[in-house]
Amino acid sequence: MFLLYLIVNILIIGLFLYSKLLPYEERLTGTYKQAFSFFKSIFKPVLSLFSGIKPFQVGTGLSVDMTQILLLIILLVLNYFCI
C-alpha cells in the first residue's frame, strides 16, 4: 500500500513538472530530458484519452486545459485512498 502511495505522489509531481516544462521540451538536456521523456511517455497517452474535453474559458482569450486538472483530481483521489 505504501508503494502505491509513493508511486501516486511521484506521478503528481511528474504531472506538475510535465505541464510546466512541456513548452520548453526542446531546451532540456541530459538527465532532465530523460526524466521528462519518462513522464511524457506516461502522461501523453493518458491525456489523449481525455482530449475530447474542451478548455474552460476563464477570461477573454484565456482558457485552462481541463485534461491535466482532471488527471490531477484522479491522482489526488487515488492518493487519498492509499493512505
Side-chain angles (χ1 to χ4, degrees):
M1 199 61 138
F2 177 74
L3 183 61
L4 183 60
Y5 176 77
L6 186 63
I7 290 171
V8 170
N9 280 313
I10 290 171
L11 287 175
I12 290 170
I13 294 168
L15 178 62
F16 174 77
L17 291 174
Y18 173 78
S19 67
K20 293 297 180 186
L21 294 175
L22 188 60
Y24 309 106
E25 175 183 4
E26 69 281 349
R27 296 178 5 192
L28 294 173
T29 59
T31 307
Y32 303 110
K33 187 170 187 84
Q34 290 175 346
F36 180 81
S37 296
F38 171 75
F39 285 113
K40 184 177 180 181
S41 69
I42 294 171
F43 293 126
K44 190 170 183 179
V46 174
L47 290 172
S48 69
L49 292 174
F50 303 124
S51 63
I53 300 174
K54 296 183 179 178
F56 186 73
Q57 193 78 24
V58 294
T60 305
L62 184 62
S63 58
V64 176
D65 183 13
M66 294 304 294
T67 57
Q68 292 179 3
I69 292 175
L70 179 62
L71 182 57
L72 177 62
I73 291 169
I74 291 169
L75 288 172
L76 288 172
V77 168
L78 279 173
N79 194 26
Y80 176 76
F81 287 113
C82 290
I83 296 177

